[in-house]
Amino acid sequence: MKKMKTVLLCISVVILVFASVMGTLAYLTDTDEVVNTFTVGNVDITLDEADVDENGVVVGTDRVKANEYHLIPGGTYVKDPTVTVKKGSEASYVRMLVTVSDIADLKAVFGNGFLPENYVEGWDSNVWKCVKITDNGNDTATYEFRYKSALDKVSDDKALEPLFTKIKVPGEINGEQLAKIKEMKISVVGNAIQKAGFDNEDAAWTAFDLQMQ
């Protein structure tokens, strides 16, 4: 058999991060003058990651919204999607959605049990719980990771633990397999929604998703 050349093939993979919030709720207070006073809560987050070069090596202290990687077999690349809950935000729930393209080819390469958390380092399932995997029907799948608990109102910016710290490519993957996923894209979206007004986080995220439709 012709021996496959594995180390000469590089893949450009653009991995993006986004952030979105839903955090308004009116609180009704009656006074003795029969005047209704409304105050509006606020939830604000940012989502970013370390600035790295194409080899996944950190190049500075800036935090960025996107990085592009050239992947080779056995490579490990810094990637640390991090949500920061901004000063003054109300008590809230936070999650990250990881959407992976070319899921059919990924399963062909890695097996039907492909899960992105098996190809990262630094993911703690007790901190970011993987609660759901959704087949989007367009050769993409979305993995939902929820933060371990609701957050209290913050008096200063609060950076949460990163979802993970590195991505890695198995050393046994060959050039032909890498070529199948050369157009793969991974997007990470951060969401936050206020805790007030919901019985639990399931109810909160159901309301969030309905509003986003």
Side-chain angles (χ1 to χ4, degrees), residues 83-151:
V83 167
T84 299
V85 182
K86 305 301 287 184
K87 177 180 178 179
S89 292
E90 303 292 334
S92 60
Y93 298 110
V94 177
R95 71 180 181 183
M96 291 196 217
L97 303 177
V98 179
T99 299
V100 183
S101 71
D102 297 299
I103 197 68
D105 286 332
L106 284 167
K107 288 182 178 179
V109 172
F110 296 110
N112 288 330
F114 168 77
L115 294 172
E117 58 264 33
N118 293 332
Y119 302 96
V120 300
E121 295 180 2
W123 173 59
D124 186 342
S125 61
N126 293 316
V127 175
W128 289 101
K129 302 171 293 181
C130 186
V131 298
K132 184 168 61 175
I133 304 172
T134 302
D135 183 348
N136 300 318
N138 56 354
D139 203 25
T140 70
T142 298
Y143 300 78
E144 180 179 345
F145 296 87
R146 294 181 185 174
Y147 193 62
K148 60 185 177 182
S149 60
L151 296 168

